[in-house]
Amino acid sequence: MRRYILTGTPGAGKTTLLAELARRGYSVTAEAATDVIARRQAAGDPEPWTRAGFVDEVATLQRERAATATAPGEVRFHDRSPVCTEALRTFLDRPASPALTAELRRIGDEHVYRSEVFFVRNLGFVEPTAARRISFEDALTFERLHERAYRAHGYRLIDVPAAGVAERADLIEAVLARTAPHR
């Protein structure tokens, strides 16, 4: 299996891009943080990211989703990874937890994801949602934290510049065509 990460600025269009990749026949895994936020907000917590256990809850859901059974040779795209959760932890100014630290070690030791990461660049604005309450300026800071985190963990970033959804998906498919199926 070839597991690729899509990451980048909040509001850069990763979810829309994943939907296009799914339409083209690829397996996709939704972003865990958005689902944790939605679940907590539905339970009456308006800002779950302020809770101490939020980062670990996201990392746990990411681990569960990455463990989903898949066919040999299948290509799967993940909307973010525990490395993103590390960048989120830094952005929220939280201490490193043993659970997240262990998960980061595990994904590195087990080579859970491909070393090539698709870094989806910002569109020049951020559209607020119930789960995304961040200014564009803060989103750019968050983008830089993601870049640093991925590089620190040995991943190679493949730039996916601002463009139409089909053009971005075409770029990703072109990279896949050049990328050997082995690690």
Side-chain angles (χ1 to χ4, degrees):
M1 158 176 282
R2 295 165 53 190
R3 297 176 197 267
Y4 290 92
I5 301 165
L6 263 67
T7 192
T9 310
K14 291 178 303 299
T15 302
T16 303
L17 181 52
L18 274 177
E20 174 62 18
L21 291 167
R23 189 189 70 70
R24 293 181 182 203
Y26 297 99
S27 296
V28 299
T29 301
E31 182 182 12
T34 299
D35 291 344
V36 169
I37 291 169
R39 184 173 55 233
R40 291 290 180 185
Q41 286 177 335
D45 183 356
E47 296 181 341
W49 52 87
T50 62
R51 289 178 28 272
F54 174 71
V55 168
D56 284 346
E57 194 172 346
V58 172
T60 298
L61 184 54
Q62 286 169 327
R63 181 181 177 129
E64 291 168 3
R65 289 180 174 178
T68 310
T70 54
E74 178 183 16
V75 172
R76 178 179 290 268
F77 291 98
H78 294 261
D79 189 342
R80 300 204 184 274
S81 80
V83 179
C84 295
T85 307
E86 172 66 10
L88 174 63
R89 179 201 66 75
T90 303
F91 182 78
L92 295 173
D93 197 26
R94 302 271 171 77
S97 72
L100 180 57
T101 301
E103 183 60 4
L104 288 166
R105 188 176 316 107
R106 184 189 75 80
I107 67 168
D109 291 349
E110 295 178 13
H111 304 286
V112 171
Y113 302 99
R114 293 285 301 201
S115 60
E116 304 88 359
V117 172
F118 293 100
F119 202 93
V120 182
R121 294 298 173 175
N122 74 78
L123 298 171
F125 64 92
V126 172
E127 182 93 17
T129 68
R132 187 187 318 120
R133 299 182 195 168
I134 190 170
S135 70
F136 183 62
E137 181 180 280
D138 284 345
L140 294 178
T141 298
F142 201 29
E143 179 180 62
R144 287 188 296 276
L145 290 173
H146 277 76
E147 286 182 89
R148 275 189 240 141
Y150 275 97
R151 287 190 175 111
H153 286 279
Y155 291 91
R156 184 171 64 87
L157 301 179
I158 299 170
D159 210 48
V160 181
V165 176
E167 187 177 348
R168 283 175 154 186
D170 290 346
L171 181 148
I172 289 171
E173 287 189 317
V175 170
L176 291 180
R178 293 188 311 265
T179 306
H182 64 280
R183 202 77 206 121

